Amino acid sequence: MLDTLSNRLASRLNELRRGRGWSLDQLSEHSGISRATLSRMEKGDVSPTAENLGRLCAAYDLPMSRLLMMVEDSFDPKVPFEHQREWSDPETGYTRRAVSPPANGLNAEVVEGHLPRNTVITYETPPKSGQEHHLILIDGALTLTVDGTPHDLSAGDCLRYHLSGPTRFETGAERGARYLLVLV
């Protein structure tokens, strides 16, 4: 019987192929591995050799270390919308949805924020000093003050910064803001 890691590898190989929309025949053409061998690997009947893993990684344009990290980690790669937890601030109406929550083996997480109009939220100290942030304003207008410097953002703008001091999120009287925040 194959061990748990081998079972996860078989499942991941199947997910990669299906994610590309490839049939086993198409993957065979891209990788140079027979269709029968690919089928047996995806079912977990056989473990792939290092050579076959190398061929598969080349077909997917994926470093082998990344493939193995995807298998060794215990996170589910897909986060369905209904499993993205949302929190609402009862005082301001601000909502925060964990689009891509933190997970072992992943460095980044993605948060979607909705800030109503006429709202100010201030964070005096960062939860993790030096953390890299990329805020993409999807809709509305937002003034984001980072370390005392205000940045006026409009829909489509991106602000990139390292979190080291206080931050202030502020919306005006006319519009709120909806944004994605990538934390690395």
Side-chain angles (χ1 to χ4, degrees):
M1 174 140 199
L2 295 176
D3 64 55
T4 305
L5 180 61
S6 294
N7 287 332
R8 289 195 311 258
L9 179 58
S11 176
R12 174 45 97 184
L13 292 174
N14 183 274
E15 289 170 7
L16 284 170
R17 180 179 56 77
R18 290 179 183 276
R20 293 281 173 111
W22 290 348
S23 67
L24 285 169
D25 290 327
Q26 289 171 310
L27 179 55
S28 179
E29 290 173 24
H30 288 285
S31 67
I33 302 169
S34 76
R35 181 189 190 288
T37 300
L38 291 169
S39 177
R40 292 180 70 211
M41 283 191 287
E42 287 187 9
K43 290 178 183 174
D45 294 338
V46 297
S47 291
T49 63
E51 181 180 330
N52 282 344
L53 273 182
R55 288 179 178 188
L56 289 169
C57 286
Y60 293 125
D61 193 26
L62 184 69
M64 193 177 303
S65 60
R66 178 73 177 150
L67 173 63
L68 294 176
M69 186 172 59
M70 294 162 100
V71 172
E72 293 170 351
D73 296 329
S74 61
F75 66 89
D76 187 354
K78 180 180 177 184
V79 183
F81 181 80
E82 60 272 9
H83 294 144
Q84 298 172 15
R85 286 184 261 157
E86 187 171 273
W87 171 82
S88 294
D89 180 348
E91 190 173 302
T92 64
Y94 165 67
T95 60
R96 176 186 172 111
R97 183 169 52 92
V99 175
S100 179
N104 269 341
L106 296 177
N107 294 324
E109 62 181 285
V110 180
V111 170
E112 180 180 2
H114 293 258
L115 201 58
R117 61 187 176 91
N118 270 341
T119 302
V120 175
I121 296 177
T122 303
Y123 300 97
E124 295 301 326
T125 58
K128 181 179 176 185
S129 188
Q131 187 175 42
E132 181 180 337
H133 284 197
H134 299 257
L135 186 139
I136 305 101
L137 191 63
I138 303 298
D139 187 43
L142 176 69
T143 300
L144 177 53
T145 304
V146 179
D147 292 330
T149 304
H151 303 274
D152 293 323
L153 304 173
S154 300
D157 290 347
C158 177
L159 183 65
R160 306 176 296 180
Y161 56 96
H162 284 100
L163 198 57
S164 60
T167 53
R168 176 184 168 101
F169 293 70
E170 183 174 3
T171 58
E174 293 83 37
R175 299 192 74 174
R178 184 170 67 97
Y179 60 86
L180 289 176
L181 180 61
V182 179
L183 302 94
V184 182

